Amino acid sequence: MKRPVEGTAHPRSGARRVWAARELGVLLALALLVAVTAADNSRFLSAQSIRDVLLSASILMVLAVGQTVVVVTRNIDLSVGSVLGLTAFATGKLFVAAPGTPILLAVLAGVGLGALCGLLNGALVAAARVPALVITLGTLYVLRGIDHSWASGEQINAADMPRSFLDLGTATLLGVPVLALLAAAVLVVVAVWLSSYRSGRELYAIGSEPAAARLAGIAVGRRVFTAFLVSGALAGLAGVLHAARYGTVDATVGTGLELQVVAAVVVGGVAIFGGSGTAWGAALGALLLATIGSSLAVLRVDPFWQQAVVGALILAAIGLDRLLAARMAARAVRSQGRAREGTSHGA
Amino acid sequence: MSGPAAASPLLHLRDVAKSFGPVAAVKGVSFALHAGRVHALAGENGAGKSTVVKMLAGVHRPDSGGLELEGRPISPDGPAAAQAAGIAVIHQEPTLFPDLPVAENIFMGRQPTGRFGRIDRGAMNEAAGRLFARLGVAIDPDRQARGLSIADQQLVEIAKALSRRAKVFVMDEPTAALSGVEATRLFAVIRGLTERGAAVLFISHRFDEIFSLCDDITVMRDGAWVSTDRVADVTVDTVVRRMVGREVSALFPKQDVEPGDVVLDVRGLTRTGVFEDVSLTVRRGEIVALAGLVGAGRSEVVRAVFGIDRYESGDVRVGGRLLPPGSPAAAMAQGIALVPEDRRQQGLVMELSVERNATLTRLRPLARFGLLSGRGERRAATDLARRLHVRHGGLGDAVGTLSGGNQQKLVLAKWLATSPQVLILDEPTRGIDVGTKAEVHRIMSGLAAEDMAVLMVSSELPEVLGMADRVLVMREGRITAELPGSRATEESVMFAATGQPGAGA
């Protein structure tokens, strides 16, 4: 009765290996792209050029990290482009109305406004029991509409904003753009939260199997709500950063950006059906997309091709995903085959 | 050892009742679970076992009566509350987080934390490893849950329950989807649990399991309590009689039929390593059983005959005409129908309606100008459902809502819609209750009487002996015996299946 019973042979940490494989793939693609571009034009690796790439990646990275938090719960936030546009314009308006506003206060105001939008999304998703895709598609248009009617054609220029605020967009610390440092800080905080804290892991549990999450006593509604709140707040932060970096803000800022964000997340290996993927991967995805933008310009590739390349990358990422899944399934079948052989002799 | 009544019970159901609208699902059921004992709950599908389980799980609250855990009344108002009270329900097919590591599946929401509240993965994996060691199984705590066999998934659920310090384990037909080896392993785990003082409620349709594993048995019928005994004091016969409420002899209503011409003629069928030189014939009006142990190659043979799997040599003739290998479409066109063993995966489209499923196999004859006529489909489905006594809410309901027995009857309906000459049934009554079993047997017998040739793969000896005109026994891919139904006995079949005299099932 106490005899030890042997289990099926298991590959060690299969899960970890898959995660690593996803992020490694993106990193590899990035390295390849940089190598090819640098071989063509060595100035691509100059400090200034790298700074430019990091600057253009930072805002997308903040959005992608926020999106990851939502996507791992098997939801999606399509309104981030509109939230970014709205907060960018609001930040400009704030400086026009009160030129002396401290920068920190402006940042907090932007984050707060974004969080408010996230709260709206989260509440609607929780209350309406309608897929987040539809809800956030609605808020995408609603928020953009509010933005347009508020701006009514007005454009806020760099001259309307304080010098110190605009410096935020170009300043460097030890040669690294402050914007990129901010994005990295956001990335580290969110990535550690997602991987190492109970509330973060519960987001994965919800995305992996909602029914089991409820059985495990997880407050599913509250956690999903929190995810939208985080995504909204980070989109708000991204809006402030956008205003600081570009200096010119009107009501069209960030139009269509949500698709780039989703692309970065998917390319970074975050499963669109939830449950797996990391903030690191999404950030790498954002970095890859930004690098493609500048490297294609260096390679003098027709900018129209850029979109086709991004599309191909998404398909490649999904293809890699399927390949890994198929290999896992094959392994499972093999081990079950072994179990069945055991049956025929043992029964 | 004291009797069930002597020791004070760990969990006591007192006169619980539950109605859904006008339907009384459970009426006044009482029994007690004792520490260190496995208690079987037997009854046909629809007898109210699932409702009892759901009350224990906290999904349903009893309308009257109540639960007592260690003498204190409890009334869990949800699954989380039942778990917290110490009652764990292990479902037939557990719901895990497929993307997450096994250890995290066990400790979700309760992960051990270290400094700054960060999850301590090392400690979590160690704790999971200790749980598996206690269960005597080897599962890597760090591997992803996706790809675990059902048996391993159940063990993860049991480990989870252990980590929550569950005292009562409710297992709802845990062995239905397990192989023999896996079931044996599960039984070892269950015995280990009871040795450590847990009480187990075990639900199964398999009497051999109940009689080898369980200490006590409660029988339910039509939502009511029938009896609670020590297993040692009852026999299979008495239990079955109490479950069905009628005589057991009615279980195999085989009509005597004079067999006609040979319809299915299989000669020298070989697939290296799977089956070898298999020859068999089935005549009109005849029921032929393919008996043997699990893994003897029986399912593989019928799958090859139907054209799902390929074979290397040999041929299959239907009514004298050679059947091209590897083509189920050709087999169907020549009048063969195969009702697969795994009806959920291979037999039915669970999301589609009853009528859609029933007519799925003969869309062409029902279509006009290539379009399906809803009315024609409905008429054909109604007719079939009536003929087979499929109990359903409405023909438009999704098949997933039907009970296992009715699903099996619907698979039958689907294939009978093609008016086959040869009907192949793979384990036609696995996992369905005694009453529905009898109905499936009645249908089989009726079809044979209508001159259909029936080939049945079955691992249940009583079914083989009760239904078959001829019994073919397979062992390790070969046919080792052919016995006329009148001469086949448990001993002779088991001898041919194992190669050993009278070892018994």
Side-chain angles (χ1 to χ4, degrees):
Chain A
M1 188 166 304
K2 281 255 178 67
R3 86 200 149 86
V5 192
E6 83 282 10
T8 352
H10 298 306
R12 251 202 97 68
S13 29
R16 270 316 130 60
R17 209 183 302 156
V18 170
W19 293 340
R22 281 180 178 146
E23 279 116 38
L24 217 65
V26 186
L27 206 58
L28 217 66
L30 189 59
L32 199 72
L33 183 67
V34 170
V36 168
T37 316
D40 186 74
N41 186 340
S42 60
R43 262 183 306 167
F44 188 65
L45 281 181
S46 73
Q48 186 52 46
S49 159
I50 291 178
R51 264 201 293 277
D52 284 345
V53 169
L54 284 181
L55 265 180
S56 57
S58 304
I59 291 170
L60 188 61
M61 207 185 266
V62 170
L63 290 171
V65 167
Q67 188 72 249
T68 304
V69 176
V70 173
V71 171
V72 291
T73 66
R74 207 181 272 191
N75 284 290
I76 195 162
D77 186 353
L78 289 182
S79 69
V80 288
S82 299
V83 175
L84 177 137
L86 188 63
T87 46
F89 190 78
T91 307
K93 271 292 202 196
L94 179 67
F95 283 119
V96 170
T101 311
I103 293 175
L104 187 67
L105 195 66
V107 170
L108 287 180
V111 171
L113 180 60
L116 210 64
C117 298
L119 192 130
L120 175 72
N121 280 328
L124 284 175
V125 168
R129 303 199 169 279
V130 172
L133 181 84
V134 184
I135 298 277
T136 57
L137 188 64
T139 52
L140 180 159
Y141 284 109
V142 170
L143 293 175
R144 184 61 71 187
I146 291 173
D147 198 2
H148 272 292
S149 73
W150 187 12
S152 51
E154 183 190 351
Q155 182 174 326
I156 295 165
N157 296 306
D160 302 324
M161 286 184 260
R163 190 68 246 162
S164 56
F165 177 67
L166 295 171
D167 280 348
L168 185 67
T170 47
T172 60
L173 189 68
L174 302 171
V176 184
V178 170
L179 230 56
L181 289 176
L182 270 172
V186 166
L187 166 63
V188 169
V189 169
V190 173
V192 169
W193 172 50
L194 282 181
S195 71
S196 299
Y197 283 82
R198 283 180 184 168
S199 52
R201 299 308 298 166
E202 286 178 3
L203 296 180
Y204 285 94
I206 292 165
S208 188
E209 183 55 66
R214 264 180 217 104
L215 272 179
I218 296 173
V220 174
R222 215 172 64 206
R223 288 271 173 269
V224 171
F225 182 81
T226 309
F228 276 101
L229 200 67
V230 169
S231 170
L234 288 182
L237 175 65
V240 179
L241 299 184
H242 189 280
R245 170 152 159 68
Y246 295 99
T248 314
V249 187
D250 61 17
T252 62
V253 161
T255 304
L257 194 58
E258 57 280 340
L259 293 184
Q260 265 192 65
V261 173
V262 173
V265 166
V266 171
V267 167
V270 179
I272 202 77
F273 288 121
S276 72
T278 61
W280 303 108
L284 276 174
L287 193 58
L288 181 62
L289 294 195
T291 311
I292 287 173
S294 41
S295 84
L296 290 189
V298 169
L299 293 170
R300 287 173 302 281
V301 174
D302 187 336
F304 293 115
W305 275 105
Q306 193 182 328
Q307 296 194 357
V309 171
V310 172
L313 263 178
I314 294 174
L315 295 179
I318 290 165
L320 182 70
D321 235 38
R322 299 307 307 161
L323 190 75
L324 289 171
R327 278 180 53 186
M328 294 276 290
R331 202 181 288 151
V333 165
R334 271 205 303 280
S335 65
Q336 257 168 30
R338 278 199 296 277
R340 192 156 290 176
E341 272 165 41
T343 317
S344 63
H345 300 302
Chain B
M1 191 167 67
S2 54
S8 76
L10 195 53
L11 180 76
H12 206 149
L13 277 90
R14 278 195 199 281
D15 210 23
V16 291
K18 178 80 193 172
S19 299
F20 299 100
V23 185
V26 171
K27 1 182 190 181
V29 169
S30 305
F31 61 87
L33 304 182
H34 296 265
R37 293 176 76 84
V38 185
H39 193 118
L41 183 58
E44 294 187 68
N45 282 350
K49 298 179 312 242
S50 304
T51 311
V52 168
V53 169
K54 282 182 177 151
M55 285 193 270
L56 292 173
V59 177
H60 295 327
R61 301 189 72 163
D63 297 334
S64 64
L67 310 177
E68 273 175 27
L69 190 67
E70 294 176 314
R72 284 189 304 277
I74 54 164
S75 56
D77 55 1
Q83 280 173 8
I87 301 174
V89 179
I90 313 298
H91 292 282
Q92 195 184 103
E93 287 176 24
T95 36
L96 300 180
F97 305 116
D99 303 289
L100 302 187
V102 165
E104 209 154 30
N105 264 284
I106 295 174
F107 291 108
M108 182 51 71
R110 303 169 295 131
Q111 295 101 327
T113 52
R115 270 204 303 171
F116 310 119
R118 286 191 69 163
I119 294 170
D120 185 343
R121 282 180 194 277
M124 183 167 72
N125 285 344
E126 244 172 66
R130 274 197 303 275
L131 289 171
F132 287 130
R134 262 170 77 185
L135 294 177
V137 296
I139 296 176
D140 178 3
D142 205 23
R143 71 155 284 167
Q144 213 181 6
R146 174 169 289 131
L148 282 177
S149 68
I150 299 255
D152 284 351
Q153 291 180 33
Q154 287 174 349
L155 292 171
V156 172
E157 283 284 355
I158 293 174
K160 192 195 292 180
L162 268 185
S163 77
R164 290 175 182 271
R165 305 185 191 293
K167 302 174 199 103
V168 178
F169 291 77
V170 180
M171 304 201 180
D172 193 359
E173 289 195 57
T175 57
L178 303 194
S179 73
V181 179
E182 291 168 335
T184 311
R185 183 175 66 159
L186 177 67
F187 293 165
V189 168
I190 291 176
R191 290 192 187 104
L193 291 176
T194 51
E195 273 170 23
R196 292 194 186 83
V200 177
L201 182 66
F202 183 81
I203 295 168
S204 174
H205 283 303
R206 297 181 185 167
F207 291 114
D208 52 336
E209 293 175 355
I210 290 177
F211 279 81
S212 67
L213 178 74
C214 300
D215 304 297
D216 309 310
I217 179 166
T218 291
V219 177
M220 285 180 67
R221 185 173 71 229
D222 299 330
W225 175 88
V226 177
S227 65
T228 298
D229 295 277
R230 295 174 61 164
V231 168
D233 299 339
V234 290
T235 64
V236 175
D237 268 6
T238 49
V239 172
V240 170
R241 212 172 298 134
R242 285 174 189 167
M243 280 167 62
V244 251
R246 59 179 175 267
E247 281 305 309
V248 193
S249 58
L251 270 180
F252 299 109
K254 175 74 183 83
Q255 305 168 22
D256 276 327
V257 174
E258 194 59 43
D261 309 331
V262 171
V263 189
L264 179 68
D265 189 1
V266 178
R267 281 198 200 147
L269 215 59
T270 298
R271 184 175 176 198
T272 312
V274 185
F275 48 81
E276 226 161 296
D277 195 22
V278 171
S279 299
L280 59 92
T281 58
V282 187
R283 295 165 178 278
R284 266 183 215 295
E286 195 180 33
I287 299 181
V288 174
L290 211 47
L293 300 177
V294 173
R298 298 164 303 161
S299 297
E300 288 78 358
V301 167
V302 295
R303 282 167 62 91
V305 167
F306 190 63
I308 301 170
D309 296 343
R310 303 204 155 263
Y311 46 89
E312 285 145 19
S313 59
D315 50 46
V316 177
R317 280 168 209 278
V318 181
R321 277 172 64 204
L322 194 65
L323 197 65
S327 166
M332 278 166 68
Q334 290 199 30
I336 304 188
L338 172 73
V339 179
E341 175 184 354
D342 184 348
R343 48 183 181 266
R344 288 189 85 88
Q345 276 189 14
Q346 297 167 13
L348 292 170
V349 187
M350 303 310 278
E351 290 80 15
L352 282 187
S353 67
V354 171
E355 74 182 34
R356 277 285 155 80
N357 267 287
T359 55
L360 212 51
T361 47
R362 51 167 206 160
L363 298 179
R364 210 168 289 261
L366 285 177
R368 196 177 296 164
F369 309 121
L371 287 175
L372 281 172
S373 115
R375 202 187 309 155
E377 231 184 329
R378 209 161 305 131
R379 197 177 324 118
T382 313
D383 183 46
L384 280 165
R386 193 183 311 123
R387 217 169 123 201
L388 298 182
H389 305 277
V390 177
R391 276 185 286 270
H392 55 82
L395 286 172
D397 292 356
V399 164
T401 63
L402 295 183
S403 73
N406 281 311
Q407 284 177 13
Q408 182 70 323
K409 285 196 279 185
L410 189 62
V411 182
L412 266 174
K414 176 176 122 172
W415 287 106
L416 293 181
T418 64
S419 325
Q421 302 183 57
V422 182
L423 178 65
I424 303 176
L425 300 156
D426 196 354
E427 301 285 3
T429 60
R430 169 163 293 177
I432 64 182
D433 62 74
V434 180
T436 315
K437 255 182 200 176
E439 266 186 79
V440 169
H441 291 147
R442 186 186 51 73
I443 293 166
M444 282 169 64
S445 177
L447 292 172
E450 284 171 29
D451 255 9
M452 203 177 282
V454 179
L455 178 61
M456 160 182 85
V457 172
S458 173
S459 300
E460 297 201 18
L461 272 179
E463 177 172 273
V464 167
L465 302 175
M467 292 303 297
D469 296 302
R470 256 186 317 132
V471 182
L472 302 173
V473 189
M474 281 189 73
R475 170 159 56 95
E476 288 168 18
R478 289 170 176 280
I479 291 187
T480 50
E482 174 167 353
L483 309 159
S486 54
R487 283 225 329 269
T489 61
E490 275 192 37
E491 287 73 27
S492 60
V493 173
M494 279 319 291
F495 176 74
T498 59
Q500 283 148 28

PDB file of all heavy atoms in Angstrom, chain B residues 369-385:
ATOM      1  N   PHE B 369     -31.107  21.099 -52.808  1.00  0.00           N
ATOM      2  CA  PHE B 369     -30.278  22.067 -53.539  1.00  0.00           C
ATOM      3  C   PHE B 369     -29.078  22.479 -52.697  1.00  0.00           C
ATOM      4  O   PHE B 369     -28.664  23.627 -52.690  1.00  0.00           O
ATOM      5  CB  PHE B 369     -31.092  23.314 -53.911  1.00  0.00           C
ATOM      6  CG  PHE B 369     -32.385  23.009 -54.598  1.00  0.00           C
ATOM      7  CD1 PHE B 369     -33.588  23.422 -54.068  1.00  0.00           C
ATOM      8  CD2 PHE B 369     -32.387  22.265 -55.777  1.00  0.00           C
ATOM      9  CE1 PHE B 369     -34.768  23.130 -54.695  1.00  0.00           C
ATOM     10  CE2 PHE B 369     -33.572  21.966 -56.402  1.00  0.00           C
ATOM     11  CZ  PHE B 369     -34.778  22.396 -55.873  1.00  0.00           C
ATOM     12  N   GLY B 370     -28.539  21.540 -51.873  1.00  0.00           N
ATOM     13  CA  GLY B 370     -27.356  21.852 -51.079  1.00  0.00           C
ATOM     14  C   GLY B 370     -27.638  22.619 -49.807  1.00  0.00           C
ATOM     15  O   GLY B 370     -26.739  22.886 -49.031  1.00  0.00           O
ATOM     16  N   LEU B 371     -28.892  23.008 -49.564  1.00  0.00           N
ATOM     17  CA  LEU B 371     -29.215  23.730 -48.338  1.00  0.00           C
ATOM     18  C   LEU B 371     -30.014  22.810 -47.426  1.00  0.00           C
ATOM     19  O   LEU B 371     -30.869  22.051 -47.882  1.00  0.00           O
ATOM     20  CB  LEU B 371     -30.059  24.971 -48.649  1.00  0.00           C
ATOM     21  CG  LEU B 371     -29.314  26.123 -49.310  1.00  0.00           C
ATOM     22  CD1 LEU B 371     -30.275  27.223 -49.682  1.00  0.00           C
ATOM     23  CD2 LEU B 371     -28.233  26.649 -48.392  1.00  0.00           C
ATOM     24  N   LEU B 372     -29.720  22.902 -46.119  1.00  0.00           N
ATOM     25  CA  LEU B 372     -30.453  22.076 -45.170  1.00  0.00           C
ATOM     26  C   LEU B 372     -31.821  22.689 -44.906  1.00  0.00           C
ATOM     27  O   LEU B 372     -31.938  23.895 -44.716  1.00  0.00           O
ATOM     28  CB  LEU B 372     -29.697  22.002 -43.842  1.00  0.00           C
ATOM     29  CG  LEU B 372     -28.530  21.025 -43.812  1.00  0.00           C
ATOM     30  CD1 LEU B 372     -27.773  21.222 -42.520  1.00  0.00           C
ATOM     31  CD2 LEU B 372     -29.028  19.602 -43.930  1.00  0.00           C
ATOM     32  N   SER B 373     -32.810  21.843 -44.873  1.00  0.00           N
ATOM     33  CA  SER B 373     -34.118  22.363 -44.494  1.00  0.00           C
ATOM     34  C   SER B 373     -34.312  22.112 -43.015  1.00  0.00           C
ATOM     35  O   SER B 373     -34.193  20.983 -42.537  1.00  0.00           O
ATOM     36  CB  SER B 373     -35.215  21.686 -45.318  1.00  0.00           C
ATOM     37  OG  SER B 373     -36.048  20.918 -44.502  1.00  0.00           O
ATOM     38  N   GLY B 374     -34.531  23.178 -42.261  1.00  0.00           N
ATOM     39  CA  GLY B 374     -34.681  23.077 -40.808  1.00  0.00           C
ATOM     40  C   GLY B 374     -35.801  22.130 -40.439  1.00  0.00           C
ATOM     41  O   GLY B 374     -35.695  21.343 -39.507  1.00  0.00           O
ATOM     42  N   ARG B 375     -36.892  22.160 -41.219  1.00  0.00           N
ATOM     43  CA  ARG B 375     -38.050  21.347 -40.868  1.00  0.00           C
ATOM     44  C   ARG B 375     -37.729  19.856 -41.046  1.00  0.00           C
ATOM     45  O   ARG B 375     -38.025  19.036 -40.188  1.00  0.00           O
ATOM     46  CB  ARG B 375     -39.245  21.736 -41.730  1.00  0.00           C
ATOM     47  CG  ARG B 375     -40.557  21.331 -41.079  1.00  0.00           C
ATOM     48  CD  ARG B 375     -41.735  21.575 -42.021  1.00  0.00           C
ATOM     49  NE  ARG B 375     -41.728  22.925 -42.575  1.00  0.00           N
ATOM     50  CZ  ARG B 375     -42.311  23.248 -43.746  1.00  0.00           C
ATOM     51  NH1 ARG B 375     -42.909  22.322 -44.468  1.00  0.00           N
ATOM     52  NH2 ARG B 375     -42.288  24.484 -44.186  1.00  0.00           N
ATOM     53  N   GLY B 376     -37.061  19.542 -42.160  1.00  0.00           N
ATOM     54  CA  GLY B 376     -36.705  18.146 -42.408  1.00  0.00           C
ATOM     55  C   GLY B 376     -35.784  17.619 -41.329  1.00  0.00           C
ATOM     56  O   GLY B 376     -35.942  16.504 -40.830  1.00  0.00           O
ATOM     57  N   GLU B 377     -34.827  18.474 -40.928  1.00  0.00           N
ATOM     58  CA  GLU B 377     -33.872  18.089 -39.891  1.00  0.00           C
ATOM     59  C   GLU B 377     -34.611  17.786 -38.595  1.00  0.00           C
ATOM     60  O   GLU B 377     -34.351  16.801 -37.922  1.00  0.00           O
ATOM     61  CB  GLU B 377     -32.926  19.263 -39.661  1.00  0.00           C
ATOM     62  CG  GLU B 377     -31.480  18.898 -39.707  1.00  0.00           C
ATOM     63  CD  GLU B 377     -30.614  20.102 -39.378  1.00  0.00           C
ATOM     64  OE1 GLU B 377     -30.993  21.254 -39.678  1.00  0.00           O
ATOM     65  OE2 GLU B 377     -29.561  19.885 -38.810  1.00  0.00           O
ATOM     66  N   ARG B 378     -35.546  18.684 -38.249  1.00  0.00           N
ATOM     67  CA  ARG B 378     -36.272  18.544 -36.996  1.00  0.00           C
ATOM     68  C   ARG B 378     -37.110  17.269 -37.007  1.00  0.00           C
ATOM     69  O   ARG B 378     -37.157  16.535 -36.033  1.00  0.00           O
ATOM     70  CB  ARG B 378     -37.175  19.769 -36.780  1.00  0.00           C
ATOM     71  CG  ARG B 378     -37.411  20.099 -35.335  1.00  0.00           C
ATOM     72  CD  ARG B 378     -37.890  21.525 -35.178  1.00  0.00           C
ATOM     73  NE  ARG B 378     -36.963  22.473 -35.799  1.00  0.00           N
ATOM     74  CZ  ARG B 378     -37.323  23.453 -36.627  1.00  0.00           C
ATOM     75  NH1 ARG B 378     -38.590  23.632 -36.941  1.00  0.00           N
ATOM     76  NH2 ARG B 378     -36.422  24.249 -37.148  1.00  0.00           N
ATOM     77  N   ARG B 379     -37.759  16.996 -38.160  1.00  0.00           N
ATOM     78  CA  ARG B 379     -38.621  15.827 -38.225  1.00  0.00           C
ATOM     79  C   ARG B 379     -37.804  14.555 -38.040  1.00  0.00           C
ATOM     80  O   ARG B 379     -38.141  13.682 -37.245  1.00  0.00           O
ATOM     81  CB  ARG B 379     -39.366  15.793 -39.575  1.00  0.00           C
ATOM     82  CG  ARG B 379     -40.559  14.856 -39.539  1.00  0.00           C
ATOM     83  CD  ARG B 379     -41.348  14.855 -40.851  1.00  0.00           C
ATOM     84  NE  ARG B 379     -41.437  16.132 -41.535  1.00  0.00           N
ATOM     85  CZ  ARG B 379     -40.952  16.371 -42.757  1.00  0.00           C
ATOM     86  NH1 ARG B 379     -40.314  15.417 -43.418  1.00  0.00           N
ATOM     87  NH2 ARG B 379     -41.092  17.555 -43.328  1.00  0.00           N
ATOM     88  N   ALA B 380     -36.655  14.495 -38.744  1.00  0.00           N
ATOM     89  CA  ALA B 380     -35.804  13.310 -38.644  1.00  0.00           C
ATOM     90  C   ALA B 380     -35.298  13.128 -37.211  1.00  0.00           C
ATOM     91  O   ALA B 380     -35.275  12.018 -36.681  1.00  0.00           O
ATOM     92  CB  ALA B 380     -34.622  13.445 -39.599  1.00  0.00           C
ATOM     93  N   ALA B 381     -34.919  14.247 -36.558  1.00  0.00           N
ATOM     94  CA  ALA B 381     -34.372  14.168 -35.214  1.00  0.00           C
ATOM     95  C   ALA B 381     -35.437  13.731 -34.212  1.00  0.00           C
ATOM     96  O   ALA B 381     -35.195  12.905 -33.336  1.00  0.00           O
ATOM     97  CB  ALA B 381     -33.796  15.522 -34.812  1.00  0.00           C
ATOM     98  N   THR B 382     -36.629  14.290 -34.343  1.00  0.00           N
ATOM     99  CA  THR B 382     -37.723  13.936 -33.433  1.00  0.00           C
ATOM    100  C   THR B 382     -37.991  12.445 -33.504  1.00  0.00           C
ATOM    101  O   THR B 382     -38.144  11.759 -32.489  1.00  0.00           O
ATOM    102  CB  THR B 382     -39.008  14.689 -33.819  1.00  0.00           C
ATOM    103  OG1 THR B 382     -38.670  16.047 -34.030  1.00  0.00           O
ATOM    104  CG2 THR B 382     -40.053  14.594 -32.734  1.00  0.00           C
ATOM    105  N   ASP B 383     -38.026  11.949 -34.725  1.00  0.00           N
ATOM    106  CA  ASP B 383     -38.299  10.544 -34.956  1.00  0.00           C
ATOM    107  C   ASP B 383     -37.257   9.665 -34.259  1.00  0.00           C
ATOM    108  O   ASP B 383     -37.592   8.729 -33.540  1.00  0.00           O
ATOM    109  CB  ASP B 383     -38.298  10.306 -36.480  1.00  0.00           C
ATOM    110  CG  ASP B 383     -38.647   8.876 -36.799  1.00  0.00           C
ATOM    111  OD1 ASP B 383     -39.615   8.388 -36.198  1.00  0.00           O
ATOM    112  OD2 ASP B 383     -37.934   8.269 -37.622  1.00  0.00           O
ATOM    113  N   LEU B 384     -35.985  10.015 -34.451  1.00  0.00           N
ATOM    114  CA  LEU B 384     -34.902   9.214 -33.868  1.00  0.00           C
ATOM    115  C   LEU B 384     -34.928   9.283 -32.343  1.00  0.00           C
ATOM    116  O   LEU B 384     -34.767   8.273 -31.669  1.00  0.00           O
ATOM    117  CB  LEU B 384     -33.557   9.724 -34.368  1.00  0.00           C
ATOM    118  CG  LEU B 384     -33.167   9.241 -35.759  1.00  0.00           C
ATOM    119  CD1 LEU B 384     -32.041  10.079 -36.296  1.00  0.00           C
ATOM    120  CD2 LEU B 384     -32.770   7.777 -35.690  1.00  0.00           C
ATOM    121  N   ALA B 385     -35.106  10.497 -31.814  1.00  0.00           N
ATOM    122  CA  ALA B 385     -35.077  10.664 -30.369  1.00  0.00           C
ATOM    123  C   ALA B 385     -36.194   9.849 -29.732  1.00  0.00           C
ATOM    124  O   ALA B 385     -36.025   9.252 -28.669  1.00  0.00           O
ATOM    125  CB  ALA B 385     -35.218  12.145 -30.010  1.00  0.00           C
TER     126      ALA B 385
END
